[in-house]
Amino acid sequence: MTTPFDVLAKIRAGRPPQPVGERCEMCAEQIADEHQHIVNVAGRQLMCVCRGCYLLFTDEHAELRYRSVPDRYLAFPDARIDLAALQIPVGLAFFFRNSALDRMVAFYPGSAGATESELSLDSWDAVRTAEPRVDLLADDVEALLVHGKECYLVPIDACYELVGRLRMLWRGFDGGQEANQFIDDFFAGVADRAKVAS
């Protein structure tokens, strides 16, 4: 007598083994280690995707649930954004406009990952007045990354990569030597990729 388990075993035996590696979170196509991302706007989540799925969501003017993360890096070398004035207790933070909330949000990294900081509308308006280039940010997919006197427009996935790596490396109160070295290396890489914004 054939059991349901026997039927399932036969079905499984006929399948070729699945290749190891990451898969597109939309269509399940295999993707390389270096791949692109889209943002689930409502869920505020990054998704790893293949090139085909990435291209479906590149229209920045369409009102879509998903948006492709561009690969634009811009440097604002003369920008002066005072994180302390924005009530951010550390010297490293990123800001992006969340279209679902219809406002700017601020995060800073630490041992627990990305911590959201309350950002008042008045304080962000003061930043926009002093530094109008912040309006170049594409909603949900690009961020303003500030570290001391350094200021860059970067893809949002770069910010979450920074936060994730710091979470793994963080030791003690200030992050430790390894985390601080990673921050220096990360910003050197951003500086190499960034074009100076006019």
Side-chain angles (χ1 to χ4, degrees), residues 114-182:
T115 301
E116 187 168 359
S117 177
E118 292 296 322
L119 185 63
S120 76
L121 185 59
D122 291 340
S123 62
W124 186 253
D125 284 343
V127 169
R128 288 180 65 209
T129 300
E131 183 47 70
R133 292 176 294 185
V134 301
D135 288 334
L136 293 171
L137 293 170
D139 292 357
D140 304 303
V141 294
E142 290 183 323
L144 186 71
L145 181 61
V146 180
H147 178 236
K149 294 182 179 180
E150 295 179 89
C151 184
Y152 299 96
L153 181 152
V154 300
I156 194 72
D157 55 1
C159 295
Y160 286 114
E161 175 192 350
L162 172 65
V163 167
R165 290 292 303 275
L166 283 177
R167 185 175 183 193
M168 292 187 322
L169 298 172
W170 199 275
R171 301 291 179 268
F173 180 74
D174 68 347
Q177 185 176 359
E178 194 175 359
N180 287 309
Q181 183 61 55
F182 171 73

